[in-house]
Amino acid sequence: MLPRATASGTRSYRHVPTRPGGGVVAGIVGLVTTATVASGKTSIPSADEAVATAARVLDASDWYLTLPTGSKGKPDTVRPPDLADYSSKWFHANSDKDGIVFTANAGGVTTSGSSYPRTELREMNGAKLAAWSNTKGTHTLTVRQAVTALPAAKPDVVTAQIHDAEDDVLEVRLESGKLIAQYNDGRTDVTLDPRYTLGTPYDLTLTASAGRIRVSYNGVKKLDIAKRGSGWYFKSGSYVQSNASKGDKASAVGVVVIYKIDTKHTS
C-alpha cells in the first residue's frame, strides 16, 4: 500500500500494483506521448533504462511523487523506497535517457485542494514530509528542466514551487510562452524569460534564507524578495493549470522534462 498525501500531509492509502522484485509496474514500453511525437522521437527507453535514468537525475529518497490517477480528490502517490523503481506513462525516461519526463493530463485526478492535475515531486526529509523555515538556515532547490508540451486552450504549467501547509508560497510557471516566478497568491510576478521556446532546457535555483526568497534563472538573479514563513518545502514537475472547464480535452497534456534536481539545506 502506498500512502496518498496532499500539502498538509498523508490523507489516505491507495494500492499501486508492483512487479516481481518489489518495483511498481512500469508499463511504458512502446508508449508514444504527445511530447515525443512533437519532437519526432518515438523511441521510449525500457523500464530498466528508465529506472537507471531516474537514478542519475534525482535522489529518490528525497521525494515522493503525486500522479494524475486515482479517485476523485485522492490521487495516487509513490513514496520512497518505491520511487527508486518506478516508471509509467506519467513519469519515465526521455528518449535520450538523460532526463525524466513528467506528464500531467488536463482530465487527470486532482488533490482535494486543487482543480488541476499534476505529476509532481514533493520534498521529503527521510521518511517524513519535509517542512522547514527560511528564518533559519539556507534552503536551496537547483533544477535543470524544460517544458516540452502545453495544453492548447490554456497553455499553462507550473514547473517548480515553494509551498507551505496551505498554499503555494512561490511558483515558477510557463503561461502562454512567458516563463515567470509568481508570488503573493498570484498577484505579483517577475519575468524569467519573456519568449520561452518549448523544449529549451534552463537552470533554475530557488533559495530561501534570512527571511528572503531568491530566484536565479540560467545563473542570473531575477527575484529577491522579503518573505518569511515555516512549514515550507520544494516541489517540481508538471502541474498543469488546465482542465475541461478551461476548454481543453481530457487528453491535453503539460509535459516537463527534468534533467537534474537537487535540494540542499544548511543550518
Side-chain angles (χ1 to χ4, degrees):
M1 301 287 287
L2 295 182
R4 271 202 267 214
T6 64
S8 59
T10 300
R11 295 178 58 86
S12 61
Y13 286 77
R14 181 176 179 87
H15 178 70
V16 177
T18 58
R19 64 185 181 186
V24 179
V25 173
I28 66 166
V29 179
L31 174 73
V32 179
T33 67
T34 300
T36 58
V37 171
S39 67
K41 297 179 178 179
T42 58
S43 175
I44 301 297
S46 69
D48 289 339
E49 289 173 322
V51 170
T53 300
R56 293 191 294 270
V57 171
L58 57 89
D59 184 342
S61 65
D62 289 342
W63 306 97
Y64 83 72
L65 181 70
T66 302
L67 297 165
T69 58
S71 57
K72 185 177 180 180
K74 297 179 179 180
D76 294 327
T77 67
V78 185
R79 286 201 179 206
D82 299 277
L83 185 58
D85 196 30
Y86 175 77
S87 61
S88 72
K89 71 177 184 177
W90 313 110
F91 177 92
H92 61 85
N94 63 353
S95 58
D96 291 331
K97 292 178 284 187
D98 63 354
I100 295 296
V101 181
F102 292 71
T103 303
N105 65 311
V109 172
T110 72
T111 63
S112 60
S114 176
S115 300
Y116 302 125
R118 70 189 80 200
T119 299
E120 189 179 41
L121 297 170
R122 195 268 196 216
E123 186 184 11
M124 297 285 287
N125 180 13
K128 298 180 180 180
L129 300 174
W132 40 264
S133 171
N134 74 331
T135 61
K136 182 179 180 180
T138 299
H139 312 276
T140 307
L141 171 73
T142 56
V143 58
R144 182 169 177 79
Q145 59 186 189
V147 181
T148 61
L150 292 168
K154 188 171 182 274
D156 187 351
V157 65
V158 173
T159 70
Q161 301 187 63
I162 298 176
H163 213 281
D164 65 18
E166 301 297 331
D167 206 350
D168 58 273
V169 177
L170 178 137
E171 293 183 333
V172 174
R173 60 196 297 161
L174 182 62
E175 291 185 343
S176 301
K178 185 179 180 181
L179 192 64
I180 61 174
Q182 190 176 79
Y183 56 101
N184 284 342
D185 292 324
R187 295 188 297 271
T188 310
D189 62 65
V190 61
T191 299
L192 304 180
D193 189 332
R195 291 178 296 277
Y196 175 78
T197 300
L198 286 180
T200 305
Y202 57 86
D203 294 300
L204 183 70
T205 303
L206 308 183
T207 305
S209 65
R212 305 191 70 84
I213 300 174
R214 301 172 181 84
V215 178
S216 292
Y217 176 73
N218 288 335
V220 178
K221 186 166 69 176
K222 295 287 188 176
L223 177 70
D224 187 343
I225 59 170
K227 189 172 183 66
R228 62 181 59 217
S230 59
W232 289 9
Y233 54 90
F234 293 118
K235 306 186 79 175
S236 189
S238 176
Y239 179 21
V240 67
Q241 302 293 287
S242 188
N243 54 36
S245 71
K246 305 299 181 182
D248 274 304
K249 296 180 179 179
S251 58
V253 294
V255 182
V256 176
V257 181
I258 292 182
Y259 300 94
K260 191 68 178 176
I261 185 168
D262 189 37
T263 60
K264 184 177 181 180
H265 301 278
T266 60
S267 58

